Each structure stands twice: as C-alpha cells, then as structure tokens.
Amino acid sequence: MIEFLNLKKINAVHYKEIIEAITRVVDSGWYIMGEEVRKFEKHFAQYVGCKHCIGVANGLDALTLILRGYKELGVITDGDEVIVPANTYIATILSISENNLKPVLVEPDIKTYNIAPIDIEKKITDKTKAIMPVHLFGQCADMDPINNLAQKYNLKIIEDSAQAHGAIYMGKKAGCLGDASGFSFYPGKNLGALGDGGAVTTNDDDLAETIRAIGNYGSQKKYYNDYRGVNSRLDEIQAAILNVKLKYIDFENKKRNELANYYLDHIQNEKIIMPFVAEYGTHAWHLFVIRTNRRNHFQKYLYNHQVQTMTHYPVPPYKQKAYHKYWRGEYPISDQIHNTICSLPLNQMNEKAEIQFITNLINTYAG
C-alpha cells in the first residue's frame, strides 16, 4: 500500500538530530519558555521575513490570539466582522467565533481554492475589521488585491498560513504578507512537530508584546497579570525538534515541487481536474488536491490498487453541526469543491516510482 502519509518515515531521516535535540532539552532541566523556544522564534521569524515570532500551543491558538490581541489593543470589539473563505478548515472559523466576532463567508476562486478577491468588497460593511485569507493546501491567496482592499477600508489582514510553510507570493513568504499570520506545526504539516505547536508572525511590536503576554496567563512579569490570559506556549521539546526540521524545509519543499510537477505534467484524464498553480508565487504543496465528480468511486479504485487517498475536507464550515443555524445563504462554489476534492499522496519521502505508479493508475481510470 502506498500510504497517504507516513510520519514515522518522514521523521526517520532526522532521527539522530531529533534525539540529540530532545536529549539536550531533557538534560537542561528547563522545559517551558527556554532557550530552544527563543532560538526557534528567532530562526522562524528570519525564515518568514518578519520581525516577530511568538511560539504558541497550536495553529488554532495562533489565529485566536491574534484576534484577541487586536481586541485588547482596541482595534476590534465584540460583534465585529471578519471576512473568511467559505471553504476553509473549521479552525479558521473557530478562531473568529471564539473571540465573539462574526465570520463572514466569501466564496473561493474555483481554480486556486483560495478566497476570491473580486468577491470580498461586496461583503465589507461598517462592522468589518479584518480579512483572514487562508493559503489553502499550500498556495498563497492572491494578496495584492486583498491588501489593496484592506488599505482602502482600513482593515487588518490576518493570514492563515497553517498549510503554507515556505510558500511564496511575489517574492515574499507566507506569514509576512499581511499584518499578522498564524502557523500550525501539527505533525502532518510541511514543518511539523512531534505533537501540537504553533506560532504567530508579525511586524507589529505592540501586537507581538500583547500576544506573548496573553498566551502566558496574561502576564509580562511573573505573578503580575495585565490580561485575562490563557496558557498557550510552544514547549521546549517541540521547539527543539522544529529547530532541527526548519533547516531542511526548503530542500523538502523542493522535493514536493518536483513530485507535484510530475503529476501535473503526466496525469492526463478528462475525468480529473488538476490543481491550478498561479503565476504569482511558489506552491508549498502541503496537499496535492484534484477534483473528480465520482470521488468515492475514484478513491475506491485507487485503494483497490494499493493507493491511499484523503478528502480535505468533506464537510464545509457552514454545514457543520457546531454552526447550525448560524449562516444563511448558499455557497455553490464551495459546495462543488467540498463534494469533489481528493488529495493524492505527495510528500518529500515519496519515491518517484510511487508517483509514476499513481499517475499511470489515474490515466487508466475510466470513471
């Protein structure tokens, strides 16, 4: 079976360095907010091209804390609106509603699956305070027109970069294309920890200071609490592991691109809609997502030939029980995407022969 993702295999190539990093932390006797976290924050900020990186517990917390930080700074208040793509993963929406804000859904571009800039302006109201573009599947949203709208209406841009480590837009990396960005280091990400982890990147000094305090019980000085904070901190062991893996992310993303390009150049089946790669940047290929009208049949066909696939994501946010009766209206483009997408195996540990085998299977798929 060609597995969709084998995390043990992915981490095995870094095994020696990971064990050394973990041992270094254990031997140090310092496990929270120590040297490894400081080192990772510095290196990841430099990698992204931002002034600040604040390590947090996970990607959801990263987005939630950005919005909470803006609330504490008086930029956003309860009941304000945040524009977000309708086809995103639920975490993006959760970060908004958790802050007593209103998510306003905008349809994606059917080609890139990212929020369609042309449809954003019609959803802007007097209550709109931010746009949260999601760099879905590893390709940056078209940020220039989004930033132009933000400037026109005095809105904040909060990137959801959870799937876009190393993705590039107009020569700049995801994570420094707006006012702030949230990253996830969930194990399956291009830059994955061996557990949960996340980070906020920003050039805003006040926001960075506020988020760092909120995530540490609301405290900038021990036992003195400026905010009603939470406990959301990247721990030393995960930071040490990320410090190891960060050194290799560009090399590993290059391998993903090579394999993705093989798919793009060689899959030829009219029943399969291939990913669209925009000219404005470099795809990180967190996921290689195709579309087909008979998804279940297609996935069963590949599984019967020893190829595992995944669906990211079968149920859109506006159809989730958690948000029952929350939204009105229809989202036909998002429905079309959610009903037809299928993710093929693709990561830096796939052999070219595996990608060739999958390609041949798809080319002979009769539908």
Side-chain angles (χ1 to χ4, degrees), residues 276-349:
F276 174 82
V277 181
E279 294 181 353
Y280 53 62
T282 302
H283 208 305
W285 294 112
H286 172 59
L287 297 170
F288 191 96
V289 178
I290 60 93
R291 289 194 289 125
T292 182
N293 288 328
R294 299 185 67 194
R295 179 173 65 201
N296 291 343
H297 183 269
F298 174 74
Q299 289 183 296
K300 185 176 181 181
Y301 163 79
L302 289 182
Y303 188 82
N304 288 340
H305 287 83
Q306 301 297 299
V307 176
Q308 186 182 45
T309 60
M310 295 286 286
T311 302
H312 299 90
Y313 305 94
V315 184
Y318 50 86
K319 291 186 176 179
Q320 296 287 356
K321 183 179 178 181
Y323 289 96
H324 182 55
K325 297 182 179 179
Y326 193 91
W327 282 290
R328 294 292 182 268
E330 297 181 350
Y331 304 93
I333 296 174
S334 294
D335 284 340
Q336 183 180 354
I337 292 170
H338 284 276
N339 291 335
T340 59
I341 55 176
C342 172
S343 300
L344 303 180
L346 188 144
N347 64 75
Q348 64 270 22
M349 297 310 298

Side-chain angles (χ1 to χ4, degrees), residues 117-325:
I118 196 171
D119 293 328
I120 293 176
E121 190 165 18
K122 65 186 73 172
K123 294 291 186 78
I124 295 174
T125 72
D126 291 341
K127 296 290 287 181
T128 306
K129 293 297 168 61
I131 304 171
M132 190 177 283
V134 180
H135 306 315
L136 199 62
F137 307 143
Q139 179 164 231
C140 290
D142 191 359
M143 293 301 296
D144 278 357
I146 295 174
N147 277 311
N148 288 339
L149 284 172
Q151 186 174 9
K152 179 179 179 179
Y153 292 98
N154 192 28
L155 306 177
K156 294 297 183 182
I157 298 294
I158 302 166
E159 300 171 75
D160 182 339
S161 301
Q163 299 184 4
H165 312 75
I168 295 173
Y169 178 87
M170 298 292 191
K172 297 176 66 177
K173 285 194 175 76
C176 69
L177 302 173
D179 295 288
S181 180
F183 284 90
S184 167
F185 304 124
Y186 183 79
K189 304 298 186 183
N190 291 36
L191 180 60
L194 267 64
D196 274 320
V200 173
T201 56
T202 184
N203 286 318
D204 187 325
D205 295 344
D206 291 337
L207 181 65
E209 183 179 356
T210 303
I211 288 172
R212 193 176 293 281
I214 295 170
N216 186 35
Y217 297 99
S219 174
Q220 293 176 327
K221 181 181 179 182
K222 193 169 184 179
Y223 302 129
Y224 293 85
N225 305 86
D226 300 320
Y227 309 100
R228 298 178 184 178
V230 298
N231 178 2
S232 182
R233 304 175 299 202
L234 181 65
D235 73 66
E236 281 288 284
I237 286 180
Q238 298 303 338
I241 293 165
L242 291 167
N243 275 319
V244 170
K245 299 180 74 175
L246 180 59
K247 296 183 295 184
Y248 302 100
I249 185 171
D250 284 341
F251 172 80
E252 292 174 349
N253 279 352
K254 182 180 178 183
K255 179 69 180 297
R256 286 173 180 260
N257 266 273
E258 290 171 355
L259 298 177
N261 285 335
Y262 187 91
Y263 274 147
L264 292 170
D265 292 341
H266 293 89
I267 293 178
Q268 296 179 349
N269 188 324
E270 62 182 10
K271 299 185 183 299
I272 304 300
I273 299 173
M274 297 293 285
F276 174 82
V277 181
E279 294 181 353
Y280 53 62
T282 302
H283 208 305
W285 294 112
H286 172 59
L287 297 170
F288 191 96
V289 178
I290 60 93
R291 289 194 289 125
T292 182
N293 288 328
R294 299 185 67 194
R295 179 173 65 201
N296 291 343
H297 183 269
F298 174 74
Q299 289 183 296
K300 185 176 181 181
Y301 163 79
L302 289 182
Y303 188 82
N304 288 340
H305 287 83
Q306 301 297 299
V307 176
Q308 186 182 45
T309 60
M310 295 286 286
T311 302
H312 299 90
Y313 305 94
V315 184
Y318 50 86
K319 291 186 176 179
Q320 296 287 356
K321 183 179 178 181
Y323 289 96
H324 182 55
K325 297 182 179 179

